[in-house]
Coordinates of all heavy atoms in Angstrom, one line a residue:
Y1 N 46.2 -22.0 -45.1 CA 45.6 -21.2 -44.2 C 44.4 -20.5 -44.7 O 44.1 -20.3 -45.8 CB 46.6 -20.0 -43.9 CG 47.8 -20.3 -43.1 CD1 49.0 -20.8 -43.5 CD2 47.7 -20.2 -41.6 CE1 50.0 -21.2 -42.8 CE2 48.8 -20.4 -40.8 CZ 49.9 -20.9 -41.3 OH 51.0 -21.2 -40.6
T2 N 43.6 -20.3 -43.7 CA 42.3 -19.5 -43.9 C 42.9 -18.0 -44.1 O 43.7 -17.5 -43.3 CB 41.4 -19.6 -42.7 OG1 40.7 -20.8 -42.8 CG2 40.4 -18.4 -42.7
M3 N 42.4 -17.3 -45.0 CA 43.0 -15.8 -45.3 C 41.7 -15.0 -45.1 O 40.8 -15.2 -45.8 CB 43.5 -15.7 -46.5 CG 44.8 -16.6 -46.7 SD 46.2 -16.2 -45.7 CE 46.5 -14.5 -46.1
G4 N 41.9 -13.9 -44.4 CA 40.7 -12.9 -44.2 C 41.2 -11.5 -44.5 O 42.4 -11.2 -44.4
W5 N 40.3 -10.7 -44.8 CA 40.4 -9.1 -44.9 C 39.6 -8.5 -43.8 O 38.4 -8.9 -43.6 CB 40.0 -8.8 -46.3 CG 41.0 -9.1 -47.4 CD1 41.0 -10.1 -48.2 CD2 42.2 -8.4 -47.8 NE1 42.0 -10.2 -49.1 CE2 42.8 -9.0 -48.9 CE3 42.8 -7.2 -47.3 CZ2 43.9 -8.6 -49.4 CZ3 44.0 -6.8 -47.9 CH2 44.5 -7.5 -49.0
F6 N 40.3 -7.5 -43.2 CA 39.7 -6.7 -42.2 C 39.9 -5.3 -42.4 O 40.9 -5.0 -43.1 CB 40.1 -7.1 -40.7 CG 39.7 -8.4 -40.3 CD1 40.2 -9.6 -40.8 CD2 38.8 -8.5 -39.2 CE1 39.8 -10.8 -40.3 CE2 38.3 -9.7 -38.7 CZ 38.8 -10.9 -39.3
R7 N 39.1 -4.4 -41.8 CA 39.4 -3.0 -42.1 C 39.3 -2.2 -40.8 O 38.5 -2.7 -39.8 CB 38.6 -2.3 -43.2 CG 37.1 -2.4 -42.8 CD 36.4 -2.0 -44.1 NE 34.9 -2.0 -44.0 CZ 34.0 -1.8 -44.8 NH1 34.4 -1.6 -46.1 NH2 32.7 -1.8 -44.6
Q8 N 39.9 -1.0 -40.6 CA 39.9 -0.3 -39.4 C 40.0 1.1 -39.7 O 40.8 1.6 -40.5 CB 41.0 -0.7 -38.5 CG 41.0 -0.2 -37.1 CD 42.0 -0.9 -36.1 OE1 43.0 -1.3 -36.6 NE2 41.7 -0.8 -34.9
V9 N 39.1 2.0 -39.1 CA 39.2 3.4 -39.0 C 39.6 4.0 -37.7 O 39.4 3.3 -36.7 CB 37.9 4.0 -39.5 CG1 37.6 3.6 -40.9 CG2 36.8 3.7 -38.5
P10 N 40.2 5.1 -37.6 CA 40.6 5.7 -36.3 C 39.5 5.7 -35.3 O 38.4 6.1 -35.5 CB 41.1 7.1 -36.6 CG 41.5 6.9 -38.0 CD 40.6 6.1 -38.6
G11 N 39.8 5.1 -34.1 CA 38.9 5.2 -33.0 C 37.8 4.1 -32.9 O 37.0 3.9 -32.1
K12 N 38.0 3.1 -34.0 CA 37.0 2.0 -34.1 C 37.7 0.6 -34.1 O 39.0 0.6 -34.2 CB 36.3 2.1 -35.4 CG 35.5 3.4 -35.6 CD 34.2 3.3 -34.9 CE 33.1 2.9 -36.0 NZ 31.8 2.9 -35.4
E13 N 37.0 -0.4 -33.7 CA 37.6 -1.7 -33.6 C 37.8 -2.2 -35.1 O 37.1 -1.8 -36.0 CB 36.7 -2.6 -32.9 CG 36.5 -2.4 -31.5 CD 37.6 -2.6 -30.6 OE1 38.5 -3.5 -31.0 OE2 37.9 -1.9 -29.7
R14 N 38.8 -3.1 -35.3 CA 39.0 -3.7 -36.5 C 37.9 -4.6 -37.0 O 37.4 -5.3 -36.2 CB 40.3 -4.6 -36.4 CG 40.8 -5.0 -37.9 CD 42.3 -5.7 -37.7 NE 43.1 -4.5 -37.3 CZ 44.6 -4.8 -37.3 NH1 45.0 -5.9 -37.8 NH2 45.3 -3.8 -37.0
E15 N 37.4 -4.4 -38.2 CA 36.1 -5.0 -38.6 C 36.3 -6.0 -39.7 O 37.1 -5.8 -40.6 CB 35.2 -3.8 -39.2 CG 33.9 -4.3 -39.8 CD 33.3 -3.2 -40.6 OE1 34.0 -2.2 -41.0 OE2 32.1 -3.3 -40.8
F16 N 35.7 -7.1 -39.5 CA 35.6 -8.1 -40.5 C 35.1 -7.7 -41.9 O 34.1 -7.0 -42.0 CB 34.8 -9.3 -40.0 CG 34.5 -10.3 -41.1 CD1 35.6 -11.3 -41.5 CD2 33.3 -10.5 -41.6 CE1 35.3 -12.2 -42.5 CE2 33.1 -11.4 -42.6 CZ 34.1 -12.3 -43.0
V17 N 35.8 -8.1 -43.0 CA 35.3 -7.7 -44.3 C 34.9 -9.0 -45.0 O 33.9 -9.1 -45.5 CB 36.3 -6.9 -45.0 CG1 35.8 -6.6 -46.4 CG2 36.6 -5.6 -44.3
A18 N 35.9 -9.9 -45.2 CA 35.8 -11.1 -46.1 C 36.8 -12.1 -45.6 O 37.8 -11.8 -45.1 CB 36.1 -10.7 -47.5
V19 N 36.5 -13.4 -45.8 CA 37.3 -14.6 -45.6 C 37.1 -15.6 -46.4 O 36.1 -15.9 -46.9 CB 37.1 -14.9 -44.0 CG1 35.7 -15.5 -43.8 CG2 38.2 -16.0 -43.7
D20 N 38.3 -16.2 -46.8 CA 38.3 -17.5 -47.6 C 38.8 -18.6 -46.7 O 40.0 -18.6 -46.4 CB 39.2 -17.3 -48.8 CG 39.2 -18.6 -49.7 OD1 38.5 -19.5 -49.4 OD2 40.0 -18.7 -50.6
T21 N 37.9 -19.4 -46.2 CA 38.3 -20.5 -45.2 C 39.0 -21.6 -45.9 O 38.6 -22.1 -46.9 CB 37.1 -21.0 -44.4 OG1 36.2 -21.6 -45.3 CG2 36.4 -19.9 -43.7
W22 N 40.2 -22.0 -45.3 CA 41.0 -23.1 -45.8 C 40.2 -24.4 -45.6 O 40.3 -25.3 -46.5 CB 42.4 -23.1 -45.2 CG 43.2 -24.3 -45.6 CD1 43.9 -24.5 -46.6 CD2 43.3 -25.5 -44.8 NE1 44.5 -25.7 -46.8 CE2 44.2 -26.4 -45.6 CE3 42.9 -26.0 -43.6 CZ2 44.4 -27.7 -45.2 CZ3 43.2 -27.2 -43.1 CH2 43.9 -28.1 -44.0
S23 N 39.6 -24.7 -44.5 CA 39.2 -25.9 -44.1 C 38.1 -26.5 -45.1 O 38.1 -27.7 -45.2 CB 38.6 -25.9 -42.6 OG 37.5 -25.0 -42.6
R24 N 37.2 -25.6 -45.6 CA 36.1 -26.1 -46.5 C 36.1 -25.3 -47.7 O 35.4 -25.7 -48.7 CB 34.8 -26.0 -45.8 CG 34.6 -26.8 -44.5 CD 33.2 -27.3 -44.2 NE 32.4 -26.1 -44.1 CZ 31.1 -26.1 -44.3 NH1 30.5 -27.2 -44.7 NH2 30.4 -24.9 -44.1
G25 N 37.0 -24.3 -47.9 CA 36.9 -23.5 -49.1 C 35.7 -22.5 -49.2 O 35.4 -22.1 -50.3
D26 N 35.1 -22.3 -48.0 CA 33.9 -21.4 -48.0 C 34.4 -19.9 -48.0 O 35.4 -19.6 -47.4 CB 33.0 -21.7 -46.9 CG 32.4 -23.1 -47.1 OD1 32.1 -23.5 -48.2 OD2 32.0 -23.7 -46.0
T27 N 33.6 -19.0 -48.6 CA 33.8 -17.7 -48.3 C 32.7 -16.9 -47.6 O 31.5 -17.3 -47.8 CB 34.1 -16.9 -49.7 OG1 32.9 -17.2 -50.5 CG2 35.3 -17.5 -50.4
Y28 N 33.0 -15.9 -46.9 CA 32.0 -15.1 -46.1 C 32.4 -13.7 -46.3 O 33.5 -13.3 -46.4 CB 32.0 -15.6 -44.6 CG 31.8 -17.0 -44.4 CD1 32.9 -17.9 -44.1 CD2 30.5 -17.6 -44.3 CE1 32.7 -19.2 -43.9 CE2 30.2 -18.9 -44.1 CZ 31.3 -19.7 -43.9 OH 31.0 -21.0 -43.6
Y29 N 31.3 -12.8 -46.2 CA 31.5 -11.4 -46.3 C 30.6 -10.7 -45.3 O 29.5 -11.2 -45.0 CB 31.0 -10.9 -47.8 CG 31.9 -11.5 -48.8 CD1 31.6 -12.7 -49.4 CD2 33.0 -10.9 -49.3 CE1 32.2 -13.2 -50.5 CE2 33.8 -11.4 -50.3 CZ 33.3 -12.6 -50.9 OH 34.0 -13.2 -51.9
T30 N 31.1 -9.6 -44.8 CA 30.2 -8.8 -44.0 C 29.1 -8.2 -44.9 O 29.3 -8.0 -46.1 CB 31.0 -7.6 -43.3 OG1 30.2 -7.0 -42.3 CG2 31.5 -6.6 -44.3
D31 N 27.9 -7.9 -44.3 CA 26.8 -7.5 -45.2 C 27.0 -6.4 -46.0 O 26.4 -6.2 -47.0 CB 25.6 -7.3 -44.2 CG 24.9 -8.7 -43.7 OD1 25.2 -9.8 -44.3 OD2 24.2 -8.6 -42.7
S32 N 27.7 -5.5 -45.4 CA 27.9 -4.1 -46.1 C 28.7 -4.1 -47.4 O 28.7 -3.2 -48.1 CB 28.6 -3.1 -45.1 OG 29.9 -3.4 -44.8
V33 N 29.4 -5.3 -47.6 CA 30.3 -5.3 -48.8 C 29.8 -6.5 -49.7 O 30.3 -6.6 -50.8 CB 31.8 -5.5 -48.5 CG1 32.3 -4.5 -47.5 CG2 32.0 -7.0 -48.0
K34 N 28.8 -7.3 -49.3 CA 28.4 -8.4 -50.0 C 27.8 -8.0 -51.4 O 27.0 -7.0 -51.5 CB 27.2 -9.2 -49.2 CG 26.9 -10.5 -49.7 CD 26.1 -11.3 -48.7 CE 26.7 -11.5 -47.4 NZ 25.8 -12.2 -46.4

């Protein structure tokens, strides 16, 4: 599986943080945590 991390604060949408894609083994990060 592709596995991802998201975060959420009250009153806000769940936000992407980081992902490790299964298909190609690539990783991606949101700019604020890179």
Side-chain angles (χ1 to χ4, degrees):
Y1 283 85
T2 288
M3 299 297 298
W5 286 96
F6 291 72
R7 63 189 181 188
Q8 189 169 24
V9 299
K12 305 274 269 185
E13 297 292 325
R14 192 167 295 187
E15 175 193 24
F16 167 75
V17 177
V19 63
D20 181 9
T21 61
W22 173 82
S23 58
R24 299 205 304 157
D26 295 329
T27 59
Y28 303 98
Y29 300 89
T30 192
D31 287 343
S32 63
V33 309
K34 198 170 297 183

